[in-house]
Amino acid sequence: MNDQQAVQDHLRQLVGSNDVVLFMKGTTQFPQCGFSAQVGQIMQLIGIEPTQVNVLDDMGVREGIKEFSNWPTIPQLYVKGEFVGGCDIIREMYEQGELQDMLDEKGVTRAKTALA
Amino acid sequence: MSLENEIRTKLMIALEPTRLDVVNESELHAGHRSSPGTGESHFRLIVVSPRFTGVSRVGRHRLINEALAEELKGRLHALAVHAHAPDEPITQ
């Protein structure tokens, strides 16, 4: 995707129509970056299967998401259309139980097999 | 100026921290795909600043990202951030 406006519209549609969207390098199965891998693991631990967007597949999305979120790095997590943060923030929230609480409060379904 | 010193200088000016650790972790990431391999690409920051009091996690990171906007567009490939107000415990 090249047209910048089209990318921004696509991203808005994507985060607006999926409960949990994870922009990452690689996939949760085959992450291509340690920070993306960490967030993928946390998702698994708390029983969330996010909609995954591998930014390495699309240069337009890779640059566009930075502009969209006003956030310069990957990974990035969105819940119910709202930007939550990158790796450090997700990890801190997870360790303090805030991530799980936030997801439950927003009514996002978590797998019953969740470990945390 | 080394990137480490550049980061330090910009954060000192922007955030007037009471503690600022700038740790170069580039070696840990040297081999991975898309890593620039420059030896100064990945850094970890511990920043304690009164400017963070009452500011959300995302807001704190944004203050740091803004201060380092130029570096993040260029040589700085990845940044791990621990941002705390002076009365908070430090997590790593």
Side-chain angles (χ1 to χ4, degrees):
Chain A
M1 231 174 296
N2 290 318
D3 181 57
Q4 287 186 14
Q5 189 55 49
V7 172
Q8 296 296 308
D9 290 345
H10 167 69
L11 293 171
R12 195 169 299 112
Q13 200 271 336
L14 196 63
V15 303
S17 56
N18 295 284
D19 276 358
V20 183
V21 184
L22 174 60
F23 295 88
M24 65 183 297
K25 292 182 179 174
T27 63
T28 51
Q29 289 276 306
F30 297 103
Q32 300 289 332
C33 150
F35 301 106
S36 289
Q38 281 185 43
V39 176
Q41 280 165 6
I42 290 170
M43 292 295 107
Q44 198 179 9
L45 284 170
I46 62 176
I48 293 286
E49 275 189 36
T51 302
Q52 298 178 39
V53 181
N54 179 359
V55 302
L56 299 177
D57 284 345
D58 189 326
M59 266 316 277
V61 168
R62 183 173 178 176
E63 292 311 310
I65 188 61
K66 296 178 183 176
E67 186 192 331
F68 184 77
S69 311
N70 183 26
W71 195 263
T73 50
I74 311 290
Q76 299 185 12
L77 185 74
Y78 276 82
V79 175
K80 297 260 182 186
E82 215 173 287
F83 177 66
V84 181
C87 177
D88 299 311
I89 289 177
I90 301 305
R91 209 186 54 235
E92 276 178 34
M93 289 179 73
Y94 163 69
E95 283 167 358
Q96 294 174 21
E98 287 172 45
L99 185 62
Q100 299 88 312
D101 290 347
M102 184 263 281
L103 289 161
D104 294 342
E105 272 163 29
K106 285 181 183 273
V108 178
T109 313
R110 301 205 279 133
K112 295 214 165 47
T113 52
L115 300 172
Chain B
M1 198 181 346
S2 74
L3 185 53
E4 186 174 328
N5 281 335
E6 199 174 310
I7 292 169
R8 195 175 289 282
T9 305
K10 293 215 170 160
L11 292 178
M12 287 301 284
I13 293 167
L15 299 171
E16 300 179 324
T18 53
R19 173 176 170 182
L20 175 59
D21 296 8
V22 180
V23 185
N24 186 344
E25 296 191 332
S26 305
E27 288 303 313
L28 298 176
H29 303 269
H32 86 74
R33 182 182 162 190
S34 82
S35 182
T38 54
E40 44 177 24
S41 52
H42 293 66
F43 286 85
R44 177 174 300 276
L45 305 178
I46 299 172
V47 190
V48 179
S49 167
R51 296 277 308 276
F52 293 148
T53 303
V55 178
S56 69
R57 285 195 179 91
V58 169
R60 294 173 185 193
H61 283 236
R62 285 202 203 281
L63 288 172
I64 291 170
N65 292 340
E66 279 160 22
L68 301 177
E70 200 183 308
E71 289 72 21
L72 281 161
K73 281 193 194 124
R75 288 186 286 166
L76 183 51
H77 176 81
L79 198 56
V81 172
H82 308 272
H84 300 284
D87 59 342
E88 295 169 359
I90 290 175
T91 59
Q92 323 228 353

